[in-house]
Amino acid sequence: MSVFVEIFTRFFMLGCTSFGGPAAHLGYFHREFVEHRKWVSKDHYAQFVMLSQVIPGPGSSQVGFAIGYQRGGWLGAISAFLGFTLPSVLLMLLLVWANISLENNTLLQYWMHGLTLLATVVVADACYTMWKQFCKTATTYMVAVLSVVFLFIWPFGLGALALLLITALVSGYLPIIEKRNTVELADVSHANIVGVIAIILFLFSFFTFSVLAIDVFFDYYQAGSLVFGGGHVILPLLQNVLVQQSEEMILAGYALAQSVPGPMFTVATFLGGVTGASSGGLGAIVLMGGLATLGVFLPGLLLMMFAQHHWKRFSTIPKVNSAIIALNAAVVGLLMYVFISVVLPHSLLGFIDGVILLCGGVWLFWKRPSVLWLLLAFSAIALIRYLVA
């Protein structure tokens, strides 16, 4: 098996099973590529997560893109992106074409809730694992805890960007005595060209073209260029950019994106497909949905590669090394905040959910089963609950 086929296959499997949003995806990536396959080190992974939070774009997809590049260069990065995104894209296009509603399918609702419980266990495990790795001193404990408090005061969105910028600025004045060898990220070929392309395309996105396909691409490119803080932030930006779409349709696509596995940015696939459906058949749905998907993901992926390349030059400076230690702790706080405020409230809906989460967490902590076994177990529990109900 070639390295590119391997990368695509591993990410495709995750793309088929990664329910729960960006935080859950980061948990799945950590378990699969850091702990199990060891494609990247814990320090590399933490820096990928940190970079994905300070530049615009889909955070989990950016981390996956960086892991793919680390494993196989540009082709590896593209393989990772296609593998992780393709299942969700195909499902969203199918929903547009067949005009399928998920709301009336009780079995599917039970299954999706079961997968939400699975994602909660995975995120909790990622919080614990990253806390052990990056919070080893009183100072890093303080940074992580204060990060959670800060995000509760400034709700998730631009608050995540503000948190990391403030942490970077004040880290030089913190008593960080932890010594750590800085891990350099891989050089990215043609990184400066990539950065220039990202900026030029962003400037073009403010113009109106007479070709619908081009307008669709640039509308979504502009939205994708301005998203800080993860997939949930895409909603208000789409409402501002897509004046031709009704608010009800945007909200419907947003809800569907949370109901299927993979990145939430594939809400763009659904909305682009709706635009195509209004002007043509299946071919138009695929074309417009594909252009919208490319447009919304492309800026974040390009900027991730540009930032990774230039981060290497700064990471060897002592003050920057201290900032990395503090930022790693802040990222742990960020993940804990998402778990407490977003993931847990959507999964813990009753006593039985609590028992399932507790048992699943103990199983994962002590036995470290693969994601496939976890998926089968939580799917079986969902089926039993459906039959009993």
Side-chain angles (χ1 to χ4, degrees):
M1 180 185 295
S2 73
V3 65
F4 308 117
V5 173
E6 182 186 24
I7 293 170
F8 177 85
T9 302
R10 299 304 175 191
F11 275 95
F12 184 82
M13 293 298 295
L14 287 174
C16 291
T17 57
S18 293
F19 289 80
H25 301 162
L26 294 178
Y28 288 118
F29 287 171
H30 188 277
R31 175 147 176 73
E32 179 72 10
F33 301 119
V34 178
E35 296 182 21
H36 182 49
R37 304 202 175 274
K38 302 187 185 304
W39 285 5
V40 295
S41 70
K42 293 180 180 179
D43 289 304
H44 276 113
Y45 186 77
Q47 291 187 48
F48 289 155
V49 174
M50 181 268 295
L51 283 175
S52 74
Q53 295 299 320
V54 299
I55 58 177
S60 57
S61 294
Q62 288 171 318
V63 172
F65 202 68
I67 292 172
Y69 188 91
Q70 183 94 351
R71 182 71 174 170
W74 275 106
L75 286 178
I78 294 171
S79 299
F81 167 68
L82 291 177
F84 187 60
T85 311
L86 188 59
S88 180
V89 167
L90 294 177
L91 282 172
M92 295 300 260
L93 292 175
L94 176 63
L95 290 171
V96 175
W97 177 65
N99 194 24
I100 296 173
S101 173
L102 301 178
E103 295 180 358
N104 299 321
N105 192 320
T106 305
L107 174 59
L108 189 57
Q109 289 177 354
Y110 270 97
W111 184 58
M112 289 191 296
H113 183 63
L115 295 176
T116 301
L117 293 173
L118 167 60
T120 304
V121 171
V122 171
V123 174
D125 181 69
C127 289
Y128 173 74
T129 303
M130 294 183 71
W131 174 276
K132 289 196 306 178
Q133 177 69 18
F134 300 113
C135 300
K136 297 181 178 179
T137 66
T139 301
T140 49
Y141 293 160
M142 179 188 68
V143 171
V145 172
L146 289 180
S147 297
V148 177
V149 174
F150 178 89
L151 290 168
F152 271 108
I153 296 172
W154 190 341
F156 193 66
L158 289 179
L161 176 63
L163 165 69
L164 296 176
L165 291 178
I166 292 171
T167 302
L169 291 173
V170 305
S171 59
Y173 302 96
L174 296 175
I176 297 178
I177 58 176
E178 180 181 353
K179 300 297 182 183
R180 176 179 299 170
N181 293 327
T182 303
V183 177
E184 295 183 347
L185 302 180
D187 282 322
V188 178
S189 59
H190 312 298
N192 290 330
I193 296 175
V194 164
V196 171
I197 291 173
I199 294 172
I200 291 175
L201 290 176
F202 179 66
L203 295 176
F204 271 106
S205 72
F206 289 94
F207 294 91
T208 300
F209 299 86
S210 58
V211 180
L212 178 60
I214 298 177
D215 284 330
V216 166
F217 171 80
F218 280 115
D219 282 345
Y220 287 94
Y221 188 93
Q222 183 180 129
S225 299
L226 298 173
V227 176
F228 290 92
H232 296 282
V233 188
I234 193 71
L235 180 61
L237 288 170
L238 290 177
Q239 290 172 324
N240 290 332
V241 172
L242 303 180
V243 294
Q244 77 276 13
Q245 293 282 13
S246 68
E247 185 168 327
E248 290 76 14
M249 187 61 69
I250 294 175
L251 290 174
Y254 178 70
L256 288 170
Q258 296 182 77
S259 302
V260 300
M264 287 182 59
F265 269 41
T266 53
V267 60
T269 309
F270 176 83
L271 295 174
V274 170
T275 300
S278 64
S279 60
L282 178 60
I285 292 173
V286 173
L287 174 62
M288 295 302 176
L291 287 172
T293 304
L294 179 62
V296 80
F297 278 99
L298 187 60
L301 302 182
L302 295 179
L303 291 173
M304 183 67 177
M305 293 294 96
F306 178 78
Q308 175 181 324
H309 180 79
H310 289 283
W311 179 247
K312 178 179 178 180
R313 299 184 180 182
F314 297 102
S315 61
T316 56
I317 303 172
K319 287 289 185 183
V320 175
N321 196 24
S322 295
I324 292 173
I325 295 172
L327 285 167
N328 287 342
V331 166
V332 175
L334 173 63
L335 191 59
M336 291 170 61
Y337 167 78
V338 175
F339 175 76
I340 295 169
S341 66
V342 178
V343 177
L344 196 60
H346 284 82
S347 60
L348 185 57
L349 304 180
F351 175 76
I352 295 178
D353 289 336
V355 173
I356 294 171
L357 288 175
L358 179 61
C359 294
V362 171
W363 184 33
L364 180 57
F365 180 81
W366 288 107
K367 297 298 183 180
R368 312 307 295 175
S370 68
V371 173
L372 178 59
W373 282 112
L374 288 167
L375 174 65
L376 292 175
F378 277 83
S379 297
I381 292 171
L383 177 60
I384 293 171
R385 294 182 74 179
Y386 167 74
L387 294 174
V388 171

